[in-house]
Every structure is written in C-alpha cells, then in structure tokens.
C-alpha cells in the first residue's frame, strides 16, 4: 500500500459560503492556524489545519 501526503484540502468560507481549495504544507507543523483572505469575497478567514493520528488532514475556517 502506497502512502501519499495530502497536498490540498478545502474549507467553506464563513462569509460567502464558497468552497476554497488550499495547499497543505505540513512542514509548518501538524496543527496550524493562519489568516487568509477569501479569493471570492476578500474577507479574512482564520484557517485551521489539523492532522489526525491516521494522517488525515482536517481544514476549517472561521471569520476573523
């Protein structure tokens, strides 16, 4: 069985409801938090990235 790191994930913008795809860079740690403007509505979101024990990546956003 081949293991591959997940390179992209998506979240739903808390302001406009659009699904946004973001690159995943786990070199920043298994739990990350950063601010990114939505490419659709330009409102800032706090992006949370969590890596589960089984390697799955969970991404979600909340309004800043």
């Amino acid at each position: 069985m081949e293991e591959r790191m997940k390179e992209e994930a998506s979240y739903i913008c808390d302001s406009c409801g659009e699904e946004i795809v973001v690159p995943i860079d786990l070199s920043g740690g298994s739990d990350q938090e950063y601010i990114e403007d939505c490419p659709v509505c330009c409102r800032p979101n706090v992006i949370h990235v969590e890596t589960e024990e089984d390697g799955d990546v969970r991404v979600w956003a909340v309004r800043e």
Side-chain angles (χ1 to χ4, degrees):
M1 186 167 107
E2 179 183 327
E3 282 190 39
R4 271 184 26 186
M5 279 181 51
K6 194 165 186 172
E7 296 178 7
E8 290 184 334
S10 64
Y11 68 89
I12 303 298
C13 176
D14 205 32
S15 295
C16 69
E18 288 290 323
E19 180 178 13
I20 309 300
V21 177
V22 292
I24 299 298
D25 180 4
L26 295 179
S27 67
S30 59
D31 293 329
Q32 302 175 29
E33 181 179 299
Y34 60 93
I35 297 173
E36 179 173 283
D37 289 344
C38 173
V40 177
C41 70
C42 299
R43 293 193 174 109
N45 286 293
V46 179
I47 312 300
H48 298 270
V49 179
E50 242 180 41
T51 305
E52 309 280 329
E53 286 183 19
D54 62 3
D56 282 348
V57 177
R58 184 172 164 240
V59 178
W60 73 97
V62 293
R63 249 180 260 182
E64 183 184 47

